[in-house]
Amino acid sequence: MTLLTFRFAPSPNGELHLGHAYAALLNQEMAAQADGRLLLRIEDIDITRCTPEFEAGIFRDLEWLGLSWERPVRRQSEHFAEYRAVLDRLIAEELVYPAFMSRGEIRAFIAETGGRDWPRDPDGVPLYPPLDKALPVKERKRRIADNVPFAWRLDVEAAMARLAADLSWIEFMDETMSATRTVAAQPQDWGDVIVARRDIPTSYHLAVVLDDALQGVSHVVRGQDLYSATGVQRLLQELLGHPQPRYFHHRLILGPDGRKLSKSFRDTGLAALREAGMPVRDVKRLLELD
Ligand code: GLU
């Protein structure tokens, strides 16, 4: 029987907080229960915001929590060539296109087209207008040669058409502590997502999907905040022919104000709690994990 594989995949662009501790400890607990593997993956494709100091902080905090993981740790910034190869494949298959509009241009376009009802993604961001998708190849090449900034966006419509006329079969298995249910993936809710930048040959979605497949991840245990992103990732998995992992989206740990924790909340930062002398068992009790 193949071993079940879990992963905790933080980004070193800030300090870890209690929400990360919950995700990490839950992965550890589920991996242990399944006699499976636990991987740690450093998601540092954003080379302007991720730093070695934050990465060192992640290792320190996780060791303090008593987590152990397999080594070597996969660091995404060391694998750009692999992402580039996948991006090239998507370009060759005409499933992505260069998108040139800046945020300001998108806003102006939507305002001009009478934008009140313009569709928005689950984060409330307006979907990318369909103009660039229709640009002639010659014009695309001219702009790229002229160094106009762009990002590669997935042509979701083309991608869905490529897979099947009726995509209701793209699903994911969503688990909770007590049950597993099948959820229909809705990648179109996000519009044409960015899959790579001009200088960085990947995006969060593309790197996660490729790495989960390369690392044989069977169970993705992560926060509810990524629940609707799973639809996009399922679409990419299908396009690339990767197996689908099972998903467990855990509850979010909220701050005293009832909001999702952010990396700027000093008082729920793990380093601050450790330095204040909080025993790990109290952290676990706080997270209802003891
Ligand atoms: N790197 C992502 C984050 O820190 C998590 C990715 C994932 O679990 O899929 O929010």
Side-chain angles (χ1 to χ4, degrees):
M1 209 187 94
T2 37
L3 278 184
L4 300 190
T5 302
F6 295 75
R7 79 341 185 242
F8 175 56
S11 295
N13 56 8
E15 287 178 15
L16 297 191
H17 53 60
L18 280 174
H20 296 104
Y22 187 65
L25 291 167
L26 205 55
N27 269 288
Q28 182 190 44
E29 195 177 296
M30 292 174 82
Q33 263 169 22
D35 248 337
R37 306 167 62 199
L38 178 60
L39 310 177
L40 171 64
R41 185 165 74 223
I42 299 293
E43 302 214 320
D44 59 348
I45 58 169
D46 185 351
I47 44 186
T48 51
R49 290 171 62 219
C50 295
T51 68
E53 290 73 29
F54 284 135
E55 186 188 296
I58 290 176
F59 291 130
R60 229 178 1 251
D61 291 344
L62 295 181
E63 269 157 21
W64 173 60
L65 287 176
L67 215 76
S68 49
W69 57 87
E70 288 185 20
R71 287 171 171 81
V73 166
R74 185 174 172 91
R75 194 181 281 119
Q76 291 186 325
S77 61
E78 292 169 353
H79 297 275
F80 281 177
E82 286 156 63
Y83 305 133
R84 178 79 232 182
V86 177
L87 173 63
D88 285 344
R89 191 173 138 196
L90 294 172
I91 295 172
E93 291 180 20
E94 295 180 11
L95 290 170
V96 294
Y97 62 89
F100 299 98
M101 291 171 87
S102 65
R103 261 187 225 153
E105 286 167 341
I106 298 174
R107 224 175 298 127
F109 174 83
I110 293 172
E112 262 165 44
T113 45
R116 285 222 156 258
D117 300 323
W118 191 265
R120 290 172 182 268
D121 73 19
D123 286 344
V125 178
L127 300 195
Y128 194 74
L131 298 184
D132 290 343
K133 202 161 80 165
L135 275 186
V137 175
K138 222 170 138 196
E139 175 60 14
R140 283 184 188 165
K141 287 197 173 144
R142 188 194 64 75
R143 292 193 194 183
I144 293 174
D146 283 351
N147 263 328
V148 180
F150 70 93
W152 290 102
R153 284 185 181 262
L154 182 69
D155 184 339
V156 174
E157 210 182 8
M160 311 243 315
R162 186 72 52 94
L163 291 175
D166 171 16
L167 266 199
S168 51
W169 57 271
I170 301 202
E171 303 164 335
F172 57 94
M173 302 305 287
D174 191 51
E175 303 192 16
T176 62
M177 290 297 182
S178 54
T180 299
R181 63 188 180 124
T182 306
V183 180
Q186 299 193 321
Q188 65 279 20
D189 287 358
W190 292 90
D192 291 350
V193 287
I194 292 181
V195 289
R197 312 252 167 206
R198 186 172 51 158
D199 307 322
I200 300 178
T202 186
S203 66
Y204 157 64
H205 291 302
L206 191 64
V208 161
V209 161
L210 188 71
D211 287 356
D212 283 341
L214 281 174
Q215 296 189 289
V217 171
S218 61
H219 283 67
V220 173
V221 177
R222 61 185 180 189
Q224 197 67 38
D225 50 339
L226 289 170
Y227 178 80
S228 55
T230 302
V232 175
Q233 295 173 16
R234 283 288 302 117
L235 177 60
L236 286 169
Q237 283 157 2
E238 292 295 327
L239 285 175
L240 298 170
H242 295 325
Q244 71 156 311
R246 296 180 92 98
Y247 289 89
F248 182 108
H249 296 98
H250 63 70
R251 71 182 170 91
L252 295 181
I253 305 298
L254 303 178
D257 58 357
R259 293 208 205 184
K260 197 186 136 186
L261 297 179
S262 85
K263 284 181 172 158
S264 52
F265 266 114
R266 279 292 301 156
D267 48 349
T268 50
L270 298 185
L273 296 176
R274 184 177 65 245
E275 280 153 25
M278 187 187 244
V280 171
R281 64 170 186 281
D282 286 4
V283 175
K284 291 188 177 166
R285 195 168 307 137
L286 203 64
L287 297 172
E288 297 170 24
L289 276 173
D290 53 343

